Amino acid sequence: MGAYLKLDHIDKTFTRGSASTNVLKEVTLDIEKGEYVSIIGHSGCGKSTLLNIVAGLTGASAGGVILDGREVNSPGPDRAVVFQNHSLLPWLTVYENVRLAVDKVFSGTRSKAERHSWTLHNLDLVQMGHAKDKRPSEISGGMKQRVGIARALAMEPKVLLLDEPFGALDALTRAHLQDSVMQIHAALGNTILMITHDVDEAVLLSDRIVMMTNGPSARIGEVLEVKLARPRKRLDLVTNATYLKAREAVLKFLHERHRFVEAA
Amino acid sequence: MNMTVRKLHEGAPAAAAPAVPAAVVALPAPKRAPAGEKLLAYCKMVAANVIPPLLVILFLVALWEMLCSAPGASLPPPSAIIKNSWELIADPFYDRGGLDKGLFWHILASLQRVAVGYSLAAVVGVALGTLIGQSTWAMRGLDPLFQVLRTVPPLAWLPLSLAAFRDGQPAAVFVIFITAIWPIIINTAVGIRNIPQDYRNVAAVLRLNPIEFFLKIMIPAAAPYIFTGLRIGIGLSWLAIIAAEMLIGGVGIGFFIWDAWNSSLIGDIIVALIYVGIVGFVLDRIIAAVGAFVTRGTAAS
């Protein structure tokens, strides 16, 4: 049977005219149910492409993705994505944005009242119930991202895909959201695949950190297991030896062995 | 305390708006400071917006009166227009049968033609615009054709339209349609093409079907562009109907103007022009207001 989510020998080559670029090479990764896995690498290494392939938004040139025993190659709500720039529909309110997803996924299985309360439940989960009638333009960046998370969670996905979800936020807001995601992960036991370029974020949140080499032809360089007990407390970890060691390992990988060369 | 407040109120207008002291002095002294301040600020805003155009209009009318009062002037001065065309100005609703009606009835007839032609153009234009915005092949096939056809002046369509429909009424409606449709098509297509990839990704993850995608993503996302097209379209329709009616005759503001010219009633023409301008302005504002209501939130993402 194998892993819950299996990335099997994924290759991706972009072709434009006669020029073709091999972005990903032989990426294979097994993710267990309930696991929190981060993919880290320098920008341009193809980690976002990899996430898009898992989401089904981009097709792989070779290899494939198997989720819960079935191959997936088109987008669907079983792999909900939290996009980097929130991607809320600006003409809908916070509630309507989540409700759109709920209605689409559960229209056949749940009554109207159930869908309404499920929408509110998910907004409460990310502490955004108070702003349900606001439009995205009226709330802050961090709040938008919370709504994006609520929308993804509301689909009850088999795996939650986070595409640098906190990248555009300031450090304090980011910390708040990371705590929220940790709480949700602890409460619901979601399987999460997150793209990030923030070493601290990766170590704090993940069970495993997948480090990508630089592109072109990026592949998985190393996989680091973070053996820290949950729940994890940001402040306690500052002096924690395991935490520091993991952090050092990722930093060394990124800055010694696979230093980003701007010109390349 | 009270004294200071009063002083402030008397001092502020003179300092803030020295150009329009008359409008502010007329205000009754405010009894309660906060409410009074609000009223004062509101009056100031109104005065600042109303007084400049009013002054310009007064100046222009005076200039016109001066220039056209000379003996042998080819156009009548405002005073003569008011005297000669008073019936037209005072009662837009009279109806003595035939073409001898008040301006309201002429405007109404023109508006009806515009309503039919423009509504058709809006529906067909948004549909075609969506098609060429969404499909690269439709764009490649249709865009060159549209780019050529849209430069054909509205009146050039009229003879062809008369030949096809053999009647003035549908011919005029067709001219409105063909005039208004191009900006609607082109703006809708641009709007559809500019839908952010993010929204398409959201739709893909949610597995929206094509109809849901059209209604829930495309139309709202492209709405600001669509309404730009609709607004240009209504302006062009109003331009075209006047010209078309001059040629097809019957009840309508365009023919009214032509008829007045044939009867040498220059004053009537000028009154009609003012009506045409005001109606065109109102039409534009209506579409703009509908657009602002429909696209609330969209533009401010």
Side-chain angles (χ1 to χ4, degrees):
Chain A
M1 165 103 193
Y4 189 59
L5 174 66
K6 191 175 178 67
L7 282 57
D8 196 6
H9 296 89
I10 291 176
D11 262 46
K12 179 68 190 175
T13 307
F14 282 111
T15 313
R16 178 166 287 173
S18 57
S20 67
T21 323
N22 183 234
V23 179
L24 295 170
K25 188 140 188 81
E26 290 270 325
V27 175
T28 297
L29 182 66
D30 288 358
I31 296 172
E32 297 303 326
K33 195 167 184 173
E35 206 176 8
Y36 197 128
V37 176
S38 293
I39 299 176
I40 196 166
H42 290 292
S43 59
C45 75
K47 53 194 196 296
S48 273
T49 307
L50 183 61
L51 190 94
N52 281 342
I53 290 171
V54 177
L57 295 167
T58 308
S61 305
V65 179
I66 294 160
L67 175 62
D68 202 7
R70 236 179 256 151
E71 182 171 6
V72 287
N73 43 28
S74 68
D78 54 344
R79 282 150 295 134
V81 187
V82 176
F83 298 95
Q84 181 174 8
N85 48 357
H86 67 80
S87 295
L88 299 178
L89 304 176
W91 52 88
L92 299 180
T93 63
V94 162
Y95 172 86
E96 288 165 342
N97 263 291
V98 179
R99 181 67 189 262
L100 178 67
V102 172
D103 280 349
K104 195 56 203 158
V105 177
F106 299 110
S107 60
T109 50
R110 294 186 192 181
S111 74
K112 232 178 170 171
E114 280 173 322
R115 279 178 272 150
H116 172 72
S117 61
W118 178 243
T119 305
L120 292 182
H121 170 77
N122 279 283
L123 282 172
D124 286 337
L125 210 58
V126 295
Q127 293 125 45
M128 284 301 295
H130 62 94
K132 70 182 176 66
D133 295 323
K134 292 223 165 82
R135 284 175 200 283
S137 55
E138 297 165 340
I139 59 179
S140 70
M143 291 162 110
K144 283 179 204 165
Q145 206 51 276
R146 283 178 187 274
V147 179
I149 293 170
R151 177 172 64 185
L153 286 173
M155 301 179 208
E156 285 193 339
K158 288 178 175 166
V159 54
L160 193 59
L161 304 174
L162 309 180
D163 186 4
E164 293 188 27
F166 317 123
L169 305 174
D170 66 89
L172 287 174
T173 311
R174 190 183 307 170
H176 279 301
L177 255 83
Q178 286 164 353
D179 291 343
S180 288
V181 167
M182 274 196 286
Q183 280 166 16
I184 290 165
H185 181 234
L188 305 179
N190 319 68
T191 310
I192 301 181
L193 181 61
M194 177 176 78
I195 302 289
T196 184
H197 51 227
D198 181 332
V199 177
D200 289 300
E201 179 173 284
V203 179
L204 176 68
L205 296 176
S206 319
D207 297 316
R208 276 192 297 156
I209 302 174
V210 175
M211 292 172 257
M212 305 273 294
T213 65
N214 285 337
S217 301
R219 41 189 185 76
I220 293 176
E222 234 172 83
V223 178
L224 177 79
E225 218 163 313
V226 184
K227 287 180 177 149
L228 283 169
R230 290 177 188 271
R232 296 173 183 170
K233 292 251 165 58
R234 188 181 301 275
L235 282 177
D236 301 349
L237 291 179
V238 175
T239 51
N240 184 302
T242 320
Y243 176 83
L244 293 175
K245 238 176 156 179
R247 200 169 169 273
E248 188 190 349
V250 179
L251 282 171
K252 273 200 169 144
F253 177 89
L254 290 175
H255 296 289
E256 263 179 33
R257 272 168 287 163
H258 295 277
R259 186 177 302 147
F260 183 54
V261 188
E262 197 73 52
Chain B
M1 171 69 200
N2 213 7
M3 282 288 287
T4 357
V5 174
R6 286 283 293 264
K7 246 185 207 162
L8 262 174
H9 281 297
E10 282 158 12
V20 288
V24 188
V25 168
L27 269 179
K31 279 184 186 139
R32 284 191 322 176
E37 260 165 33
K38 237 186 226 169
L39 188 69
L40 191 72
Y42 181 74
C43 288
K44 253 195 217 166
M45 195 193 73
V46 171
N49 283 314
V50 168
I51 290 187
L54 217 59
L55 286 178
V56 170
I57 289 170
L58 279 178
F59 171 76
L60 288 178
V61 169
L63 188 71
W64 176 12
E65 180 76 37
M66 252 163 50
L67 289 176
C68 293
S69 292
S74 53
L75 293 175
S79 55
I81 294 171
I82 292 172
K83 205 172 68 193
N84 297 336
S85 306
W86 181 246
E87 191 192 24
L88 213 56
I89 300 167
D91 182 11
F93 300 106
Y94 73 87
D95 186 355
R96 294 197 204 104
L99 295 180
D100 193 7
K101 296 170 193 274
L103 276 176
F104 171 80
W105 302 108
H106 288 288
I107 296 266
L108 187 68
S110 301
L111 280 177
Q112 277 168 349
R113 293 189 183 111
V114 168
V116 177
Y118 178 73
S119 305
L120 282 172
V123 172
V124 178
V126 170
L128 278 175
T130 306
L131 179 69
I132 67 171
Q134 186 69 357
S135 148
T136 313
W137 282 105
M139 189 190 75
R140 283 182 196 157
L142 291 170
D143 197 55
L145 193 67
F146 289 169
Q147 295 299 341
V148 171
L149 288 182
R150 79 186 172 90
T151 63
V152 174
L155 275 195
W157 290 101
L158 188 61
L160 193 66
S161 172
L162 278 168
F165 293 104
R166 295 169 191 283
D167 185 16
Q169 187 71 8
V173 168
F174 176 76
V175 169
I176 299 303
F177 169 82
I178 206 77
T179 306
I181 199 169
W182 308 116
I184 299 175
I185 292 177
I186 289 163
N187 281 284
T188 304
V190 171
I192 299 285
R193 239 174 281 154
N194 282 349
I195 293 175
Q197 187 59 41
D198 296 340
Y199 300 168
R200 294 181 187 273
N201 286 346
V202 170
V205 170
L206 290 177
R207 288 204 181 126
L208 296 183
N209 63 40
I211 294 167
E212 286 170 324
F213 181 62
F214 177 73
L215 290 177
K216 293 190 172 155
I217 308 278
M218 272 184 163
I219 291 294
Y225 291 89
I226 294 175
F227 273 94
T228 304
L230 289 175
R231 224 176 134 181
I232 299 172
I234 196 76
L236 291 180
S237 307
W238 195 235
L239 293 184
I241 190 65
I242 308 293
E245 282 174 348
M246 283 186 179
L247 295 176
I248 62 164
V251 178
I253 191 71
F255 184 68
F256 175 88
I257 292 173
W258 195 244
D259 198 37
W261 157 243
N262 284 331
S263 324
S264 300
L265 298 169
I266 308 299
D268 286 12
I269 296 179
I270 291 169
V271 174
L273 286 193
I274 293 168
Y275 267 80
V276 168
I278 290 171
V279 171
F281 173 78
V282 170
L283 286 178
D284 180 65
R285 283 307 148 107
I286 289 173
I287 301 293
V290 172
F293 175 74
V294 172
T295 61
R296 67 199 183 288
T298 315
S301 58

